[in-house]
Amino acid sequence: MPHSKTGTFDDGGSDAGTVTDPTRVFAALADDTRWQLLQRLARSPASASGLAGECTVSRQAIAKHLSILEDCGLVTSERVGRELRFSAAGSRLSAVGRALEAVGSGWDRRLDAIKKAAERSV
C-alpha cells in the first residue's frame, strides 16, 4: 500500500522501492496476541487452525490477527494443500529494525552535539 514518502520506509524486499507506513506495523505489533503469533511464526510456519490449537484464542480471532499481520507485511501466507500456512516475513521485520535504528542514530547525533556544546561553554 503505497504512501507518501513522509513517514515511510523502504522495505528493501522483493518489491524494491515499495514504501510502507511504519505506524501500521507498530500498531500491529502493539497487540500482545499478534506479537505472540509473530514470535511463534518466527520458529516455523503454521496454519490458523494449528495456531488456535496452541493458543487460548479462537481460530476466528487468530485468522483476524493473521490478516492484520499479513496486511502490513509482517507475515506471508502460502497455500499448502487445503491449508493456508503463515510465516514471519523477515524482510519486513528487518526494514522496521532499520527504520528504528535510523531514528536512534539521529537522536544519538543530536545528543552528542548538545554534549559537545555544553562542554565548550564550561
Side-chain angles (χ1 to χ4, degrees):
M1 308 214 169
H3 293 275
S4 71
K5 279 286 190 183
T6 305
T8 61
F9 62 91
D10 187 337
D11 71 4
S14 60
D15 297 327
T18 300
V19 290
T20 301
D21 182 354
T23 58
R24 290 182 62 220
V25 173
F26 299 139
L29 292 175
D31 182 272
D32 290 339
T33 301
R34 286 192 288 271
W35 177 247
Q36 290 171 4
L37 289 172
L38 188 62
Q39 288 181 309
R40 165 55 186 82
L41 291 172
R43 291 193 307 271
S44 65
S47 67
S49 297
L51 291 167
E54 300 174 24
C55 302
T56 58
V57 181
S58 71
R59 188 212 169 285
Q60 292 79 10
I62 296 284
K64 177 68 174 168
H65 286 301
L66 290 171
S67 174
I68 291 167
L69 290 169
E70 189 171 28
D71 286 348
C72 66
L74 291 171
V75 301
T76 59
S77 61
E78 177 184 7
R79 184 150 305 276
V80 179
R82 293 181 348 163
E83 282 190 330
L84 193 58
R85 294 195 147 257
F86 294 87
S87 302
S91 64
R92 180 67 58 180
L93 294 171
S94 294
V96 170
R98 285 190 304 274
L100 289 173
E101 182 64 34
V103 169
S105 293
W107 276 105
D108 288 344
R109 284 189 303 276
R110 281 175 264 200
L111 291 173
D112 190 45
I114 291 169
K115 178 182 174 189
K116 287 178 182 178
E119 289 170 347
R120 282 192 303 265
S121 67
V122 175

